[in-house]
Amino acid sequence: AGIAYFAHLGGGLFGYLYLKSEWLRRQASYWSAFSLTGWRRKRKTAKEESRREDLQRQVDRILDKVSRHGMDSLSGKERKALELKSKRQK
């Protein structure tokens, strides 16, 4: 008879701890949006997006040059930019 009490108490304790851990996890994810590390992550993502856009504009300009003058007209720096773009798309 004593075992049933402990089983119910154990289940209740487990349920309480589970709900408490879920609540803490949600609170942590909520506050991380306002934390300094969350802000840095967003800033880093914005910088990366800006770099991608700059590279895409550069590649578009290079491909226009290739269509007008051919591949032989490219400098070494322009060829490296095309290689970098092709590696990032994989």
Side-chain angles (χ1 to χ4, degrees):
I3 295 174
Y5 291 118
F6 286 118
H8 284 93
L9 288 174
L13 179 64
F14 178 77
Y16 172 77
L17 293 175
Y18 176 76
L19 291 175
K20 189 73 169 171
S21 69
E22 285 295 308
W23 181 81
L24 289 173
R25 186 181 56 82
R26 286 188 183 139
Q27 292 296 325
S29 66
Y30 173 77
W31 286 108
S32 70
F34 299 104
S35 71
L36 186 59
T37 56
W39 179 75
R40 284 182 183 159
R41 189 177 309 124
K42 288 178 186 175
R43 195 174 100 199
K44 186 176 180 181
T45 304
K47 282 184 180 180
E48 182 63 30
E49 184 64 30
S50 176
R51 286 186 194 131
R52 277 191 220 124
E53 290 172 359
D54 290 343
L55 180 61
Q56 185 60 49
R57 280 193 290 271
Q58 185 180 9
V59 166
D60 290 343
R61 183 187 55 78
I62 293 169
L63 292 176
D64 287 340
K65 183 177 179 181
V66 168
S67 69
R68 286 191 313 267
H69 305 290
M71 283 293 287
D72 294 333
S73 67
L74 295 182
S75 67
K77 186 177 178 181
E78 291 169 331
R79 288 178 190 268
K80 285 183 181 180
L82 289 177
E83 287 175 21
L84 179 63
K85 179 65 176 177
S86 69
K87 287 179 183 177
R88 285 191 177 182
Q89 285 191 338
K90 291 181 182 179

